[in-house]
């Protein structure tokens, strides 16, 4: 008779309310300075400042999306949304990443044009604004760094702010060069540096959120090695239909069908497996179906297993069945 067990245990180092307060404080700083920077950017004729202002606009949007996602993800499961709205956080992170990539492409185009035909740039205004921007973004970065960054949603907002901090450092340096040497192309070079940072952060966010949407195993867990590890538990004959994924960032889950030798206690072995998953792999949300197996029953299960079929070394004198492809 099949026994299905569930292991649960979720927690976050920082509460949702604390995250909201920290993100809201950073949002107020970003929006206030962004408005001032737009005015100064046009007055100074600086692409670097305008680039920074546009980046700060995406910062503000990223934080707003993060705040909305935090509120929605806190809603309990209802109707057909059996996991609730936890993956709204991942949608937010992916939107942040795509926005960064699109803006990076645009700013590369504008910077190249300015490298070819450099306009007049007022270095003093660029330098002063860049230095003030560094201070503002240092404080905003510090605020968000105190939030729960294990959430890809919050990490997305953090990466926006952190990249803007680096951008202001590049802008201040460019302003100083223009002021001292009159080399106007330094402004466009600073914009290219900002674009490169945006590309790096955007690729990482799109990649990580994409893995979660495709229900790939967390980067720290190798499903093949995990299946072999489970088969090494005394009494386990076979493990198949092993799936490992993330419900949302920092919340991994696993499911599997376990066959154990006849005459053994299925409940006891299931508890041992759940303990191993939780203690060694942080897989505290697990759903396991445990059955007794005969030799004939093993073959029947293998014929319809998804992915690799893992067998203990003693089961039929062979190890994991790597020839069985995923359906």
């Amino acid at each position: 008779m099949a026994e299905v067990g569930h292991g649960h245990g979720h927690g976050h180092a920082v509460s949702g309310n604390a995250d909201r307060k920290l993100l809201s404080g950073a949002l107020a700083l970003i929006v206030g300075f962004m408005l001032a920077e737009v005015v100064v950017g046009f007055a100074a004729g600086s692409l670097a400042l305008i680039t920074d202002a546009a980046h700060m606009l995406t910062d503000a949007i990223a934080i707003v999306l993060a705040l909305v996602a935090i509120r929605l993800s806190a809603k309990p499961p209802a109707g057909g949304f059996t996991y609730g709205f936890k993956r709204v956080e991942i949608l937010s992170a992916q939107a942040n990443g795509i926005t960064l990539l699109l803006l990076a492409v645009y700013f590369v185009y504008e910077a190249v044009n300015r490298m070819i035909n450099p306009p007049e740039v007022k270095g003093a205004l660029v330098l002063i604004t860049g230095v003030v921007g560094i201070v503002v973004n240092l404080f905003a970065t510090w605020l968000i760094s105190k939030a729960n960054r294990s959430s890809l949603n919050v990490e997305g907002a953090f990466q926006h702010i952190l990249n803007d901090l680096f951008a202001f450092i590049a802008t201040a340096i460019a302003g100083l060069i223009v002021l001292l040497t009159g080399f106007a192309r330094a402004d466009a070079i600073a914009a290219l540096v900002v674009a490169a940072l945006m590309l790096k952060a955007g690729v990482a966010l799109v990649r990580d959120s994409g893995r979660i949407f495709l229900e790939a195993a967390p980067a720290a867990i190798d499903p093949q090695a995990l299946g072999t590890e489970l088969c090494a538990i005394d009494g386990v004959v076979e493990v198949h239909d092993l799936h490992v994924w993330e419900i949302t960032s920092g919340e991994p889950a696993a499911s599997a069908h376990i066959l154990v030798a006849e005459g053994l206690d299925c409940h006891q072995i299931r508890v041992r497996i759940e303990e191993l998953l939780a203690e060694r792999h942080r897989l505290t949300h697990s759903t396991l179906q445990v059955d007794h197996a005969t030799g004939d029953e093993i073959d029947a299960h293998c014929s319809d297993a998804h992915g690799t079929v893992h067998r203990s070394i003693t089961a039929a004198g062979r190890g994991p069945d790597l020839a069985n492809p995923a359906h």
Side-chain angles (χ1 to χ4, degrees):
M1 182 175 184
E3 174 181 305
V4 178
H6 302 270
H8 300 279
H10 311 297
H12 296 287
V14 181
S15 71
N17 287 333
D19 283 348
R20 282 195 290 270
K21 290 179 181 178
L22 292 167
L23 290 170
S24 297
L27 178 62
L29 283 172
I30 294 300
V31 171
F33 186 75
M34 177 193 70
L35 295 174
E37 190 178 20
V38 170
V39 175
V40 177
F42 280 106
S46 170
L47 178 62
L49 285 181
I50 296 171
T51 302
D52 286 334
H55 194 188
M56 293 190 82
L57 176 61
T58 68
D59 294 342
I61 294 172
I63 294 174
V64 170
L65 286 175
L67 288 167
V68 172
I70 288 173
R71 183 172 296 276
L72 288 176
S73 65
K75 291 181 175 293
F81 297 93
T82 56
Y83 278 126
F85 297 88
K86 294 181 181 294
R87 283 200 176 171
V88 172
E89 292 189 340
I90 310 306
L91 280 171
S92 171
Q94 191 164 74
N96 288 338
I98 292 172
T99 301
L100 283 169
L101 293 177
L102 293 175
L103 281 172
V105 171
Y106 171 73
F107 289 135
V108 166
Y109 172 77
E110 286 293 328
V112 169
N113 282 339
R114 289 202 172 204
M115 290 286 285
I116 298 171
N117 300 301
E120 181 183 353
V121 177
K122 298 177 182 178
L125 281 176
V126 176
L127 175 59
I128 293 170
T129 308
V131 170
V132 176
I134 290 172
V135 174
V136 171
N137 276 268
L138 272 173
F139 190 47
T141 301
W142 174 75
L143 282 174
I144 297 184
S145 70
K146 294 173 64 179
N148 176 33
R149 286 180 56 203
S150 65
S151 163
L152 193 60
N153 172 48
V154 175
E155 180 65 15
F158 177 79
Q159 286 298 329
H160 267 269
I161 304 300
L162 184 63
N163 276 273
D164 218 24
L165 172 61
F166 295 147
F168 274 111
I169 293 173
T171 299
I173 293 172
L176 181 62
I177 292 173
V178 173
L179 181 64
L180 296 178
T181 70
F183 182 59
R185 287 185 175 88
D187 185 74
I189 293 171
L192 286 173
V193 171
V194 177
L197 292 171
M198 293 167 76
L199 280 171
K200 180 177 180 294
V203 167
L205 284 171
V206 171
R207 180 194 63 222
D208 293 344
S209 59
R211 284 184 61 86
I212 292 177
F213 282 130
L214 292 173
E215 299 195 335
I221 299 176
D222 179 357
Q224 299 296 333
L226 179 60
T228 301
E229 187 177 3
L230 295 181
C231 282
I233 295 175
D234 289 341
V236 175
V237 174
E238 177 184 301
V239 177
H240 59 259
D241 281 337
L242 174 62
H243 300 286
V244 186
W245 70 99
E246 285 187 280
I247 300 169
T248 188
S249 53
E251 196 169 314
S255 65
H257 193 173
I258 314 291
L259 300 183
V260 303
E262 287 188 295
L264 298 182
D265 187 339
C266 284
H267 175 72
Q268 184 180 57
I269 291 176
R270 177 180 59 77
V271 170
R272 286 166 58 193
I273 293 174
E274 287 177 349
E275 290 174 349
L276 181 149
L277 292 174
E279 294 172 6
R280 295 189 187 178
H281 303 285
R282 292 183 58 249
L283 285 164
T284 53
H285 187 116
S286 58
T287 302
L288 305 173
Q289 179 180 348
V290 184
D291 287 307
H292 286 116
T294 64
D296 292 338
E297 193 173 0
I298 290 177
D299 291 333
H301 282 296
C302 289
S303 65
D304 193 35
H306 293 78
T308 301
V309 175
H310 303 270
R311 290 200 175 100
S312 68
I313 300 300
T314 57
R318 55 179 176 170
D321 183 359
L322 301 179
N324 188 19
H327 291 279

